């Protein structure tokens, strides 16, 4: 299991720490690790020489405290476990005879002094469950068709999706073009299932969503942001949270080095008029659980999705948060927040937002998503 702990940490990050502590048999990272172990324990070599693992898993939870047990049953969502396990098994090169199904069930409360096993996992093969037909998310490819996207040279200087000519390109260390950069933000990471524009799946030290590059139209340059990666982002061997990119800059993520080059000269620096100076995007942050031991400060890119989905920019692991709950974005003039039609709603300073209606944010505003409190702050220049 190559670098399994690092990959699990990348999948779940620190989002569960305030809820479940840093360890334990039922910590979500430990649950995923146990699932992978159960798969490998029941691995069978097929007649084709490939290694096949079970596709149906039953997780039985037995805790003394009914409230604690109910909390785990709420947070250990079967579909999310199945999706995460699917990714892990694919990355290890295992094959499946059927789609993955995870079932999470509660066991009757055991007597106080009786021996118990908080988590018991059973695995079996069930070919009656159909395999996913096509890509569940953008960028996903079945094992049989998968190639390292990073090794495929780029032939065009126009972004096919937008039709906009590229201003810059990311190249490998040996000079192969890997990704054209235009006006739209791009995500670089290791996972094909996390909306990455450039997938670097050969380097296990790279996080699923490691970095984001954006075009700043006002300043006329590209900016790279670290997306809370496990092993950090380096530009010219200096660790950075964000950095304006210059032609020739060497970007390192894990063991992988990318070279940033302009395909057209950047606009000459000029004194911005007052109106443009006002619209230049100020650095902003979201602080989860402010003024508590679980406080976590997250720098904002120009747009950040908040929700329960593992592919969200800011993941909230709580039952009242929707998969895609809200989005915070910079519109060129101000920071805005929008509720994406969530069931439990989004509130700013205790005022509930109307779904799909934009609201301007001010430094110090308190955002509530489900039961999670988030503070919005703008960094003073």
């Amino acid at each position: 299991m190559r670098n399994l702990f690092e990959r699990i940490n990348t999948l779940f990050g620190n989002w569960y720490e305030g809820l479940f502590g840093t360890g334990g048999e039922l910590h979500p990272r430990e649950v995923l690790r146990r699932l992978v172990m159960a798969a490998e324990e029941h691995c069978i070599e097929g007649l084709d020489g490939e290694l096949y693992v079970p596709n149906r898993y039953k997780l039985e939870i037995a805790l003394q405290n009914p409230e604690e047990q109910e909390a785990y049953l709420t947070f250990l969502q079967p579909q999310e476990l199945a999706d995460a396990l699917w990714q892990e098994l694919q990355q290890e090169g295992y094959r499946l005879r059927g789609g993955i199904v995870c079932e999470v069930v509660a066991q009757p409360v055991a007597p106080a002094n009786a021996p118990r096993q908080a988590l018991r996992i059973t695995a079996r093969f069930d070919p009656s469950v159909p395999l996913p037909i096509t890509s569940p998310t953008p960028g996903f490819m079945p094992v049989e068709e998968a190639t390292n996207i990073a090794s495929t040279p780029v032939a065009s200087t126009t972004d096919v999706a937008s039709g906009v000519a590229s201003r810059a390109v990311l190249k490998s260390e040996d000079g192969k073009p890997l990704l054209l950069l235009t006006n739209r933000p791009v995500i670089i990471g290791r996972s094909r299932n996390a909306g990455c524009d450039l997938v670097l799946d050969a380097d296990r030290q790279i996080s699923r969503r490691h970095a984001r590059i954006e075009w700043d139209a006002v300043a006329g340059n590209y900016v790279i942001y670290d997306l809370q990666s496990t092993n950090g982002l380096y530009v010219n061997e200096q660790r950075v949270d964000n950095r304006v990119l210059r032609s020739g800059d060497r970007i390192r993520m894990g063991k992988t080095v990318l070279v940033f080059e302009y395909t057209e000269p950047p606009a000459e620096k000029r004194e911005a008029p007052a109106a443009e100076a006002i619209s230049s995007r100020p650095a902003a942050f979201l602080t989860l659980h402010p003024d508590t031991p679980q406080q976590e400060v997250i720098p904002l890119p120009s747009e950040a999705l908040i929700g329960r989905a593992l592919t969200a920019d800011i993941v909230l692991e709580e039952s009242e948060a929707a998969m895609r709950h809200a989005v915070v974005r910079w519109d060129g003039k101000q920071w805005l927040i929008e509720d994406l039609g969530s069931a439990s709603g989004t509130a700013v300073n205790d005022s509930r937002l109307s779904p799909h209606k934009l609201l301007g944010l001010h430094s110090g505003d308190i955002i509530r998503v489900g039961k999670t409190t988030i503070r919005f702050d703008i960094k003073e220049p």
Side-chain angles (χ1 to χ4, degrees), residues 157 164-169 181-183 215 220 222 247 260-267:
T157 57
V164 178
S166 66
R167 291 188 172 89
V169 62
L181 301 175
T182 58
N183 292 349
W215 170 251
Y222 286 97
S247 196
F260 172 86
E261 289 185 4
Y262 275 105
T263 53
E264 66 177 41

Side-chain angles (χ1 to χ4, degrees), residues 74-285:
T74 299
F75 283 98
L76 295 177
Q77 293 293 315
Q79 189 57 53
E80 290 189 2
L81 289 171
D83 291 344
L85 181 59
W86 171 269
Q87 294 174 30
E88 292 300 318
L89 295 178
Q90 281 206 10
Q91 290 170 4
E92 290 297 332
Y94 292 116
R95 298 302 179 101
L96 294 159
R97 292 295 191 190
I100 292 181
V101 175
C102 288
E103 180 185 5
V104 183
V105 299
Q107 294 297 301
V109 178
N113 297 324
R116 66 181 180 85
Q117 188 177 2
L119 174 64
R120 184 173 62 198
I121 298 177
T122 54
R124 63 185 178 91
F125 291 87
D126 185 359
S128 67
V129 181
L131 283 162
I133 298 173
T134 54
S135 50
T137 54
F140 171 85
M141 287 181 285
V143 174
E144 292 79 2
E145 302 173 15
T147 57
N148 187 343
I149 294 176
S151 66
T152 306
V154 177
S156 171
T157 57
T158 301
D159 177 32
V160 177
S162 63
V164 178
S166 66
R167 291 188 172 89
V169 62
L170 289 178
K171 295 182 177 181
S172 63
E173 201 169 9
D174 59 4
K176 290 181 181 179
L178 303 179
L179 182 68
L180 300 173
L181 301 175
T182 58
N183 292 349
R184 66 183 183 88
V186 297
I187 302 292
I188 305 169
R190 183 173 48 79
S191 175
R192 301 180 186 278
N193 293 22
C196 294
D197 300 277
L198 177 60
V199 178
L200 304 171
D201 56 4
D203 188 341
R204 300 300 181 181
Q205 294 185 17
I206 293 177
S207 295
R208 294 177 69 244
R209 291 164 61 89
H210 199 109
R212 180 179 182 128
I213 297 178
E214 299 178 2
W215 170 251
D216 186 332
V218 174
N221 52 38
Y222 286 97
V223 183
I224 189 167
Y225 297 88
D226 186 346
L227 297 180
Q228 302 293 297
S229 64
T230 302
N231 294 312
L233 172 68
Y234 294 80
V235 176
N236 301 326
E237 291 307 314
Q238 180 180 359
R239 184 161 184 168
V240 300
D241 290 324
N242 57 78
R243 174 64 59 86
V244 173
L245 292 173
R246 308 297 181 195
S247 196
D249 279 350
R250 293 169 62 85
I251 303 164
R252 181 167 66 81
M253 290 169 276
K255 297 178 181 179
T256 301
V257 175
L258 305 175
V259 179
F260 172 86
E261 289 185 4
Y262 275 105
T263 53
E264 66 177 41
E268 292 185 5
K269 280 194 171 183
R270 56 187 173 82
E271 290 297 324
E276 287 190 358
I278 293 173
S279 64
S280 181
R281 177 162 70 88
F285 303 85

Side-chain angles (χ1 to χ4, degrees), residues 7 19 26 47 72 95 174 211 224 282 342:
R7 293 204 305 279
L19 297 167
L26 288 180
L47 294 176
Y72 279 109
R95 298 302 179 101
D174 59 4
I224 189 167
S342 64

